[in-house]
Amino acid sequence: MALSRRTFSALAGSAALGFALGGSGGPGAPSAYAARSVPTGPPPPAPSADGERHTIGYDHHSLVVDGRRLVVWSGEMHPFRLPSPSLWRDVLEKMRAHGYNTVSIYVAWNYHSPAPGEYDFTGVRDLDLFLRTAAETGLYVILRPGPYINAEVDAGGFPGWLTATAGTARTTDPTYLAHVDEWLTAVNRVVRRHQLTDGGGSVLLYQIENEYDGHVTDPTGPAYMSHLYKKVRRDGIDVPLFHNDKGRNGYWIPGSFDTGGEKGKWLYGFDGYPSPTQAPPDWGDFGIGGLKGGATASPRTPGFVPEFGGGWFDPWGGVEFGGKGYAESRRTRDEAYERRFYLTNLANGITLHNVYMTYGGTTWGWLPAPVVYTSYDYGAAIDEARNVTTKIAPMHQLGHLLQRVPDFAKLERAADVRVPGLKAYHLTNPDTGAHVYVLRNDGASEVTSTLRTDAGDDIEVTVAAHDARLLTTGLALGKRTLRYCTAQPTFLLTAGRQDIALFTGRYGEMAHLVLECPSEPFVQRLDAEAAWVYDQGVLHVTAPLGQGGLTRVLVQRGESDTPLLLLFADDATSVRLFPYDTPSGTLLVYGPALLRHAKLSGTTVQLTGDTVGETGLEVWGPRGIESVTWNGHPVRTRVSLSGSLVAESDMAGAPKPALPVLAGWRRKTENPESAAGFDDSSWTVADKKTSFSTTPVPKGQPVLFADDYGFHYGDVWYRARVEGDIEDLKSVSLSYSTGTQGMLMAWLDGKPLGSHRMPVPDAKTVRQGSWAATAEFPVAGLKLKKKEREKRSHVLSVLVRRMQHDMDGGSADTQKVARGLTAATFKGVSPKVSWRIQGAVAPDPVRGPQNNGGLYGEREGWHLPGFADGAWEAAELPRADRGMGVTWYRTGFRPAVPDGVDASVGLVLEDDPGRAYRVQIFLNGWNLGQYVNDVGPQHTFVLPNGILRTRGSNTLALAVLSDGTSECGPGAVRLELLGSAAGGVSVETVPSPGR
């Protein structure tokens, strides 16, 4: 479609107009501008809701915002995986402080839509609040609202009710598109208020669909993509749009579908999750080229990876990581993995890089897809308990490098170099003449080799096994020029009248920096570890990394009147250095675990942030600063030789608060639905004959699929009235279909028939999302009395733990595979059978539809904090019970976390792995996950602050489901401190309504 007046006015009046309109069409389309029209220079300032109009364009090298090149260093987090809105700010501030300039988010349709036509953007679903918080934090947003998102969530993000409707998903089916349009209208009503283009916020890019490859070769696919594109534009979204190719296929490049005549606002992106056992692939300038080459599929748009592996998800049973869970994911995709793989992407011209995940969080309640358990930690740089892990170091270093050294926004392939034993990439910036070398060791042993630079220097470099190193030559350090350094540059900034450059590497390495100095400078080593020598116009500086913390060397005079402060740090030290831009100038803060915010007020620097252990504090900033406050408290400082303010004493670390012992349990057994005399008259009659499910309805059977009767999440009960004499009944066979680790239990006239469960996934079935089985239960073992068997009416009761809907990654409507019972047959008799079904009652108005299933206790509110359990029997844990069915345990506890301390708390469940039972965990009424004792691997469940009252009373309820095949617990249940920081963010209590 033609550009609207609003869009045009946002682009016009600037040299960036050509950038915004160029680069469209297929690989052979002419560009509307030349790359040299956007010279290397400082990036745009951090985004905010400033009310000003901004332009977003691009060329082959990078995005261009307001005429300035922008390298996107993004991390993925999902607001729906952290159901405490106050903590969104915590994670976003950690990302910004550690080098990210962008956050990428999915918006899950199922999370916001409990029923057709109903859309909830309040409370934990407040997308407007998240987008405001991101802009306040100074982060761009990549928004990804589907309609399909995959994301290892139930039905890939499709709402449960959509699984029971007509229409084929991810096609141009009019029924499906009508629902899609309604969803996009609802979500875009929020998003369009937060776009960077009109200054409403910081939304930079918007994704339509997700890894869509089901109909690429037939007319359906292009027509579907065109519909989404035009719909989003009609809704007032005017930032560039994109799609993420599932692999390197060249799908949905510019020109591959109709955009209504609009050009230059569509980006090609591709995803990548390479195994750490493989050599990092070249998906760009050094690769195979063409449509299968990654970034080369769209040579006139910048290299864009909307998802690149920051870890990997773990399945039920933990086969992906040998049962060791996400600790093993983090170990196998560690800091060295990040350097080796992400630096390879940088060398290949990738300047839009999103790490999936950077904070994985918790797929609480019934949100997880069948292939994953509750935790979505992902082995990410920020763990599920919001702790920054050692994986943050490469992200911190590369993020700040790409933000503060503009040369990296415009790199081109340079002459090939050979470095024996290492894979070498050579790049150069055509504007500045700086050269970049990425040296990669794909072997199992450390390699020491020699790099001959463009200037003719021979540099001895050592690269650890399965690691990589980035080196630069000819880089401008303020008014001086770096000849080379064996450590990686991390940032260059000006604080006051002083340039500051940081170089980083591994602990114990000796950094050797060579600076071109035609005139002899005045050099001061401010820390004893450093050494220097000046010889024939070159200054040599050496420093062992990390052995004394931060090493400082001050270079003054010579050919420049601007002092240059050289800083050298190992990884652990580097992540305690935080640049921060203020309206009065740039600050650099060293020491704390986290800098959240900085403000200059007169001559005072006001800092807020976190400490974990005791730490010093050092601040460089504009001239004239005289004092420092930390979290509102004055800090006594002195002025150092480098012009910084240094705290005269260490700041306190965080206390480790003691957590209460969980005791005073009360216990009650449920499942009255299994009794023959239970009143099910209010239940839904299951008598439908047809279904929109992709699972065929068995001949002669009614539709028993739970979704067809409006029960989309959690457990579902069935009761069949069996009319006729069952004296000759030999067995009952129950066919059912569930997600991974589904199960059923059955009773006949109140007597247990038995249970059945789906197998634990192995390496071949780890991604299987739907499982079907038939359980045959012999009746002879029931020992029914003769008069009971001769009754003319009997009751068959069945509880199905349905787990979740499959995702639809193949665009085959697999989310519509049936959940629940599919058929029942009786061997030896042919009775008349009528069915009733009961699942979750009306969706919780605060917690949402994914919070509850159809257990009796859930329907009666046993999980809620206000429930009166005084009549329940007292109990102690651990337990060793026997029996088939559901038993609830409740207790209360009150932590005493000191004010000003951010304590992350987990619930740990442990027991003999031979005991077959599972537990639904409810904290203050919130369903925070499912524990399967004999499957695992998850034993620790994060209790997010806000839902957890760290200085108030809490109600913990455990719904224990036992299949009757073994003793069951629960075993040991305890609270565990997962992390503690002095500082944090102000946390508002998430509503936890009771009965």
Side-chain angles (χ1 to χ4, degrees):
M1 70 178 187
L3 285 174
S4 67
R5 175 171 296 184
R6 177 170 179 250
T7 304
F8 182 83
S9 62
L11 301 173
S14 167
L17 176 60
F19 314 149
L21 300 182
S24 62
S31 176
Y33 58 91
R36 65 177 180 272
S37 63
V38 190
T40 298
S48 65
D50 58 10
E52 301 292 330
R53 293 198 176 277
H54 300 277
T55 60
I56 307 172
Y58 57 82
D59 64 6
H60 166 71
H61 293 288
S62 71
L63 289 185
V64 178
V65 174
D66 294 336
R68 298 186 184 187
R69 292 198 176 277
L70 173 69
V71 177
V72 172
W73 192 246
S74 173
E76 186 89 11
M77 76 163 288
H78 300 149
F80 57 83
R81 284 188 160 115
L82 185 55
S84 177
S86 299
L87 299 183
W88 297 342
R89 184 177 298 274
D90 175 68
V91 174
L92 292 174
E93 288 182 348
K94 285 171 178 170
M95 290 175 62
R96 184 209 56 79
H98 288 298
Y100 296 89
N101 62 1
T102 306
V103 59
S104 172
I105 66 166
Y106 277 132
V107 187
W109 187 357
N110 59 0
Y111 191 62
H112 293 274
S113 183
E118 295 182 23
Y119 297 95
D120 181 3
F121 290 93
T122 65
V124 297
R125 293 164 178 76
D126 193 341
L127 178 61
D128 186 85
L129 174 60
F130 182 90
L131 296 178
R132 291 201 315 269
T133 305
E136 291 165 3
T137 309
L139 292 173
Y140 294 104
V141 176
I142 298 174
L143 196 97
R144 309 204 289 158
Y148 178 79
I149 64 172
N150 205 71
E152 286 75 59
V153 295
D154 181 84
F158 286 148
W161 55 262
L162 190 70
T163 66
T165 63
T168 303
R170 310 186 79 183
T171 70
T172 53
D173 183 290
T175 301
Y176 167 71
L177 288 184
H179 292 306
V180 165
D181 286 354
E182 192 174 73
W183 159 242
L184 292 177
T185 296
V187 72
N188 290 339
R189 187 180 295 120
V190 178
V191 175
R192 69 187 178 213
R193 300 196 298 265
H194 296 274
Q195 297 182 90
L196 181 71
T197 43
D198 62 8
S202 58
V203 173
L204 178 74
L205 301 172
Y206 181 112
Q207 177 178 305
I208 62 171
E209 252 290 349
N210 186 80
E211 296 185 333
Y212 180 59
D213 63 356
H215 298 279
V216 176
T217 58
D218 63 65
T220 297
Y224 175 51
M225 292 292 283
S226 179
H227 176 93
L228 296 177
Y229 189 104
K230 294 173 184 178
K231 167 59 181 170
V232 168
R233 286 292 186 238
R234 286 197 305 272
D235 285 347
I237 304 301
D238 59 15
V239 299
L241 308 181
F242 72 96
H243 171 269
N244 58 332
D245 193 347
K246 188 183 295 186
R248 277 61 53 203
N249 304 298
Y251 296 157
W252 314 121
I253 59 174
S256 58
F257 63 92
D258 177 22
T259 60
E262 183 175 75
K263 296 181 180 296
K265 298 186 73 175
W266 175 256
L267 298 175
Y268 171 74
F270 60 95
D271 292 350
Y273 291 89
S275 167
T277 62
Q278 301 171 349
D282 290 326
W283 288 336
D285 293 345
F286 287 81
I288 61 173
L291 290 176
K292 300 289 185 180
T296 58
S298 181
R300 299 191 186 279
T301 61
F304 185 10
V305 182
E307 295 180 29
F308 196 86
W312 190 244
F313 63 81
D314 199 27
W316 287 105
V319 68
E320 193 74 47
F321 299 109
K324 298 178 182 178
Y326 283 114
E328 185 68 2
S329 175
R330 190 168 283 108
R331 187 191 70 81
T332 55
R333 291 164 173 83
D334 60 3
E335 307 94 287
Y337 170 90
E338 291 177 314
R339 284 188 291 270
R340 197 160 62 115
F341 283 74
Y342 302 169
L343 285 174
T344 298
N345 284 351
L346 179 64
N348 273 274
I350 308 298
T351 58
L352 288 87
H353 197 284
N354 180 54
V355 178
Y356 190 107
M357 301 290 296
T358 289
Y359 170 75
T362 305
T363 319
W364 56 282
W366 294 106
L367 268 169
V371 294
V372 292
Y373 47 87
T374 296
S375 175
Y376 201 65
D377 177 276
Y378 220 80
I382 302 174
D383 71 17
E384 186 183 2
R386 297 178 293 109
N387 297 307
V388 171
T389 73
T390 56
K391 286 181 65 171
I392 206 68
M395 311 309 300
H396 183 102
Q397 295 160 6
L398 287 171
H400 286 301
L401 173 72
L402 297 174
Q403 289 187 57
R404 297 190 177 271
V405 182
D407 305 67
F408 285 85
K410 189 178 180 180
L411 292 177
E412 297 178 353
R413 186 171 180 174
D416 290 345
V417 295
R418 181 176 179 273
V419 183
L422 299 173
K423 171 77 171 178
Y425 300 88
H426 180 200
L427 307 156
T428 188
N429 183 296
D431 299 333
T432 67
H435 288 255
V436 174
Y437 301 87
V438 172
L439 307 178
R440 201 179 78 205
N441 181 1
D442 295 329
S445 301
E446 178 181 277
V447 171
T448 298
S449 192
T450 301
L451 165 69
R452 170 62 64 90
T453 72
D454 59 289
D457 293 307
D458 290 325
I459 308 174
E460 184 179 274
V461 291
T462 299
V463 183
H466 303 301
D467 209 333
R469 181 182 295 274
L470 182 147
L471 304 176
T472 56
T473 66
L475 190 67
L477 303 183
K479 304 297 183 182
R480 305 175 191 273
T481 301
L482 175 71
R483 187 148 177 177
Y484 67 81
C485 183
T486 58
Q488 175 183 304
T490 295
F491 58 68
L492 173 69
L493 56 85
T494 299
R497 298 182 181 177
Q498 177 174 243
D499 295 324
I500 304 177
L502 172 65
F503 293 85
T504 58
R506 315 295 79 76
Y507 178 85
E509 292 179 347
M510 181 65 73
H512 180 197
L513 181 145
V514 180
L515 196 65
E516 294 181 0
C517 298
S519 301
E520 183 171 1
F522 175 63
V523 182
Q524 294 172 280
R525 58 173 193 169
L526 306 182
D527 295 284
E529 292 78 14
W532 64 274
V533 63
Y534 178 78
D535 181 47
Q536 297 182 359
V538 174
L539 175 66
H540 294 261
V541 179
T542 57
L545 300 180
Q547 293 183 6
L550 184 66
T551 301
R552 309 157 184 84
V553 175
L554 183 61
V555 182
Q556 300 181 84
R557 299 196 287 270
E559 75 278 5
S560 175
D561 293 331
T562 303
L564 173 62
L565 179 63
L566 299 171
L567 304 178
F568 299 91
D570 69 327
D571 292 335
T573 303
S574 73
V575 299
R576 295 166 56 211
L577 281 154
F578 301 101
Y580 197 101
D581 296 323
T582 77
S584 303
T586 300
L587 295 170
L588 178 62
V589 178
Y590 169 55
L594 182 71
L595 177 68
R596 293 186 181 274
H597 187 68
K599 179 182 178 182
L600 271 68
S601 179
T603 60
T604 300
V605 180
Q606 300 172 344
L607 305 175
T608 60
D610 299 358
T611 60
V612 175
E614 287 190 354
T615 182
L617 177 67
E618 187 169 5
V619 182
W620 291 268
R623 289 172 61 88
I625 62 171
E626 298 176 356
S627 60
V628 176
T629 64
W630 177 257
N631 290 341
H633 301 288
V635 179
R636 294 184 60 184
T637 61
R638 60 177 174 81
V639 180
S640 74
L641 291 174
S642 68
S644 61
L645 296 179
V646 181
E648 293 186 346
S649 60
D650 283 351
M651 298 189 298
K656 295 191 180 339
L659 299 175
V661 174
L662 297 176
W665 292 95
R666 306 195 75 83
R667 174 181 183 272
K668 185 175 178 63
T669 299
E670 57 137 278
N671 47 276
E673 301 94 335
S674 64
F678 178 80
D679 182 7
D680 59 17
S681 60
S682 65
W683 287 20
T684 301
V685 175
D687 59 357
K688 293 185 177 183
K689 302 300 182 183
T690 60
S691 171
F692 294 118
S693 173
T694 54
T695 302
V697 179
K699 185 177 181 179
Q701 299 269 350
V703 174
L704 296 177
F705 313 155
D707 286 297
D708 285 77
Y709 299 96
F711 304 120
H712 306 301
Y713 304 107
D715 299 299
V716 62
W717 274 96
Y718 296 85
R719 282 172 58 87
R721 187 71 58 184
V722 182
E723 304 290 348
D725 187 344
I726 63 168
E727 185 174 1
D728 295 327
L729 177 62
K730 294 182 173 55
S731 66
V732 177
S733 293
L734 299 173
S735 299
Y736 72 120
S737 175
T738 73
T740 310
Q741 280 303 287
M743 66 175 297
L744 67 72
M745 295 183 287
W747 294 260
L748 183 61
D749 288 341
K751 303 287 178 45
L753 278 173
S755 62
H756 186 276
R757 59 191 292 182
M758 300 299 180
V760 179
D762 58 22
K764 293 181 179 179
T765 58
V766 68
R767 296 195 184 185
Q768 181 176 325
S770 289
W771 300 69
T774 297
E776 183 175 4
F777 299 111
V779 175
L782 285 182
K783 300 179 180 179
L784 291 175
K785 296 179 180 179
K786 180 175 175 54
K787 63 179 181 179
E788 292 176 323
R789 298 174 68 91
E790 291 176 346
K791 286 181 180 178
R792 301 301 298 171
S793 181
H794 305 269
V795 175
L796 174 65
S797 303
V798 183
L799 173 63
V800 179
R801 175 142 292 183
R802 44 172 292 153
M803 303 300 279
Q804 292 91 345
H805 303 93
D806 199 357
M807 297 179 290
D808 189 31
S811 303
D813 260 357
T814 45
Q815 82 283 356
K816 288 186 174 182
V817 173
R819 291 295 183 261
L821 283 182
T822 55
T825 57
F826 300 84
K827 188 174 182 180
V829 297
S830 300
K832 180 181 178 182
V833 181
S834 59
W835 289 92
R836 289 182 181 268
I837 182 172
Q838 178 66 58
V841 293
D844 189 306
V846 173
R847 301 174 182 96
Q850 289 89 7
N851 194 72
N852 295 110
L855 295 180
Y856 181 84
E858 292 178 287
R859 305 196 311 267
E860 293 296 311
W862 293 7
H863 61 297
L864 297 175
F867 180 77
D869 59 10
W872 290 17
E873 66 175 294
E876 293 184 0
L877 300 184
R879 297 281 302 188
D881 294 339
R882 277 198 175 273
M884 188 177 79
V886 183
T887 303
W888 284 73
Y889 296 81
R890 284 171 56 94
T891 190
F893 65 94
R894 188 182 186 94
V897 177
D899 192 25
V901 173
D902 178 11
S904 185
V905 179
L907 182 74
V908 180
L909 294 90
E910 294 176 324
D911 204 349
D912 177 352
R915 293 181 174 184
Y917 69 92
R918 52 188 72 191
V919 180
Q920 286 296 118
I921 300 166
F922 293 91
L923 177 67
N924 296 325
W926 290 83
N927 181 349
L928 294 184
Q930 181 177 190
Y931 168 75
V932 183
N933 181 68
D934 57 332
V935 174
Q938 184 175 6
H939 289 271
T940 300
F941 294 78
V942 174
L943 309 178
N945 295 347
I947 290 177
L948 173 70
R949 299 172 182 131
T950 58
R951 287 177 289 279
S953 61
N954 298 273
T955 299
L956 179 64
L958 306 178
V960 181
L961 189 154
S962 172
D963 65 11
T965 61
S966 69
E967 283 188 339
C968 68
V973 181
R974 69 178 188 275
L975 300 174
E976 183 174 291
L977 185 66
L978 304 178
S980 181
V985 297
S986 177
V987 177
E988 295 183 9
T989 299
V990 179
S992 295
R995 295 183 60 78

